């Protein structure tokens, strides 16, 4: 407990208990619906209702078979774990943001990460965490205001939870802050083209049936914006790569049901509260006709952006000074001779 | 909307949709083709452009729902 207490940002009350750290109910409410925080970037909108997202994730975690809908998170979690394993280091203390039931920790062992802190906004996911070798501490907190001190973690990972964050620049800045120098952030987020079939089908159906349309699929970040956001937050040596996962479903209703089961239901403030049955029927027909596969199933595309960013440390490689080259690129044809000369 | 019963009944009704829709494949693809054609190129999709196809689809759906009512 003393070790955990040492991590806490000064000024925040430390919750009691050991092992699992549950935020007090009053503080939890404050964490999910904060008044305009002092560190907010100018012009920050809040498109998402975090309270509702918490309720949705809690509901999804209490379903009888939560493992049914977690195929996507498991896949992306193993992708993030692969990238962690690519770095030949042992991380004494790591943070998993928006961990859910723990999709990254289950692919890693204690040689890579010695101790893990899992953070999620919904407390029910911790009631059924998956088995992992790594000793874990679970904290219920909002990704937008992390309760940790500066320079605490050697590694921060996040898998498929940052796309519901209201102020993404601030979240990246906070991650950069809690990292130690020479620490690394490895994240995975849903990107631009995710669920475009669902979005288009619903849009066309609403246009045809109701004469107008409202957004049903949340806006996703584009890959170029991601690079800018990360470098503005202070990360060095960025790597962003994309992966596209296509999952086939029987139809539109199954897509929506699985999204609900994953806790990915819409929680934008500007969402339409009602989706007419006629519109859903029309959208299902359009989805099948425009995007359907030959065997009658429909594809749903998930585009994942994997990003790796480092916090500055003197030991890291820097770009060389201009004018310090010793050989010219034009000598590439004679490279064998040059190597022998050395 | 009061009481959990409403949500549970609405959800149960919704769960029958895919099965009922499966029996109306023809009307569904006719409607889908109409919308795809109407929104292709520079054409603007307006309300009720494919009203007839949609009504055929809805009637088929309602028939299937009435037939399999449990």
């Amino acid at each position: 407990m003393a070790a955990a207490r040492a991590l806490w940002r000064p000024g925040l009350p430390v919750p009691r208990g050991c092992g699992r750290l549950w935020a007090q109910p009053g503080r939890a409410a404050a964490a999910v619906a904060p008044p305009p925080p002092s560190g907010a970037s100018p012009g920050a909108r809040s498109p998402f209702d975090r309270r509702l997202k918490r309720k949705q994730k809690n509901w999804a975690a209490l379903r009888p078979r939560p493992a049914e809908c977690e195929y996507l998170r498991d896949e992306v979690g193993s992708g993030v774990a692969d990238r962690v394993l690519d770095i030949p280091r042992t991380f004494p203390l790591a943070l998993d943001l928006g961990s859910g039931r723990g999709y990254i920790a289950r692919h890693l062992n204690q040689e890579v990460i010695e101790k893990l802190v899992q953070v999620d906004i919904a407390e029910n996911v911790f009631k059924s965490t998956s088995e992992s070798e790594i000793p874990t501490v679970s904290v219920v907190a909002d990704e937008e205001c992390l309760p940790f001190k500066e320079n605490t973690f050697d590694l921060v990972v996040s898998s498929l939870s940052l796309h519901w964050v209201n102020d993404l620049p601030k979240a990246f800045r906070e991650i950069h802050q809690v990292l130690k120098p020479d620490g690394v952030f490895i994240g995975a987020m849903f990107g631009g083209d995710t669920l475009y079939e669902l979005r288009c089908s619903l849009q066309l159906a609403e246009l045809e049936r109701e004469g107008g349309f409202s957004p049903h699929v949340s806006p996703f970040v584009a890959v170029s914006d991601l690079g800018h956001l990360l470098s503005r937050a202070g990360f060095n040596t960025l790597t962003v790569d994309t992966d596209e996962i296509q999952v086939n479903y029987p139809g539109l209703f199954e897509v929506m049901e699985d999204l609900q089961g994953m806790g990915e239901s819409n929680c934008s403030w500007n969402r339409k509260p009602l989706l007419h049955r006629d519109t859903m029927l029309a959208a299902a027909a359009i989805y099948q006709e425009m995007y359907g596969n030959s065997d009658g199933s429909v594809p749903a595309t998930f585009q994942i952006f994997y990003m790796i960013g480092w916090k500055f440390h003197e030991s890291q490689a820097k770009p060389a000074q201009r004018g310090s080259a010793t050989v010219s690129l034009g000598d590439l044809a004679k490279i064998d001779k040059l190597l022998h000369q050395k | 909307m009061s009481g959990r019963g409403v949500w549970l009944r609405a959800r149960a009704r919704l769960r029958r949709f895919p099965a009922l829709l499966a029996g109306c494949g023809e009307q569904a693809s006719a409607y889908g083709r109409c919308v795809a054609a109407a929104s292709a190129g520079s054409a603007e999709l307006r309300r009720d452009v494919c009203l007839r196809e949609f009504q055929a689809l809805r009637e088929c759906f309602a028939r299937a729902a009435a037939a399999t009512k449990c």
Side-chain angles (χ1 to χ4, degrees), chain A residues 78 105 158 290 304 326:
Chain A
S78 75
S158 171
M290 282 181 70
I304 320 281
T326 49

Side-chain angles (χ1 to χ4, degrees), chain A residues 116-128:
Chain A
L116 180 65
V117 177
Q118 283 182 335
V119 164
D120 203 292
I121 195 176
E123 60 268 16
N124 287 343
V125 300
F126 294 134
K127 294 185 182 159
S128 55

Side-chain angles (χ1 to χ4, degrees), chain B residues 1 37 42:
Chain B
M1 295 270 223
S42 58

Side-chain angles (χ1 to χ4, degrees), chain A residues 256-316:
Chain A
M256 298 208 297
E257 208 179 293
D258 265 16
L259 288 173
Q260 228 180 14
M262 286 187 225
E264 296 293 318
S265 319
N266 195 1
C267 70
S268 323
W269 288 110
N270 65 354
R271 70 189 181 279
K272 209 164 102 170
L274 202 59
L275 188 57
H276 296 283
R277 264 179 295 174
D278 280 358
T279 308
M280 277 198 267
L281 199 55
I286 295 171
Y287 202 145
Q288 184 71 45
E289 180 58 31
M290 282 181 70
Y291 303 106
N293 299 326
S294 48
D295 63 354
S297 60
V298 295
T301 307
F302 296 95
Q303 197 178 35
I304 320 281
F305 292 151
Y306 292 100
M307 58 203 130
I308 306 180
W310 294 81
K311 185 159 178 179
F312 174 74
H313 188 258
E314 291 80 34
S315 67
Q316 286 171 0

Side-chain angles (χ1 to χ4, degrees), chain A residues 59 203-205 207-211 253-254 257 260 274 277-286 288-290, chain B residues 11 13-15 17-18 21 28-33 35-36 39 45-51 54 57-58 61:
Chain A
W59 175 86
Q203 189 170 323
L204 290 174
L207 266 177
E208 202 276 323
R209 287 285 87 225
E210 300 172 28
F253 296 104
E254 285 82 358
E257 208 179 293
Q260 228 180 14
L274 202 59
R277 264 179 295 174
D278 280 358
T279 308
M280 277 198 267
L281 199 55
I286 295 171
Q288 184 71 45
E289 180 58 31
M290 282 181 70
Chain B
R11 281 222 170 91
R13 254 190 307 235
L14 205 53
R15 234 169 269 140
F17 273 33
L21 194 54
S29 16
Y31 176 73
R33 270 195 303 272
V35 172
S39 55
L45 188 62
R46 270 188 297 275
R47 189 176 181 174
D48 287 339
V49 162
C50 301
L51 182 62
F54 183 73
L57 173 61
R58 198 164 49 166
F61 192 77

Side-chain angles (χ1 to χ4, degrees), chain A residues 67-114:
Chain A
E68 240 178 24
C69 293
E70 45 176 52
Y71 44 88
L72 191 62
R73 290 191 191 276
D74 197 33
E75 179 66 29
V76 178
S78 75
V80 176
D82 275 347
R83 283 157 175 81
V84 175
L85 288 169
D86 276 345
I87 303 175
R89 264 170 68 172
T90 303
F91 300 98
L93 189 60
L95 171 67
D96 188 350
L97 270 184
S99 63
R101 293 175 63 234
Y103 304 103
I104 304 175
R106 57 170 75 158
H107 298 285
L108 296 172
N109 56 31
Q110 216 165 348
E111 284 168 8
V112 185
I113 295 180
E114 284 172 22

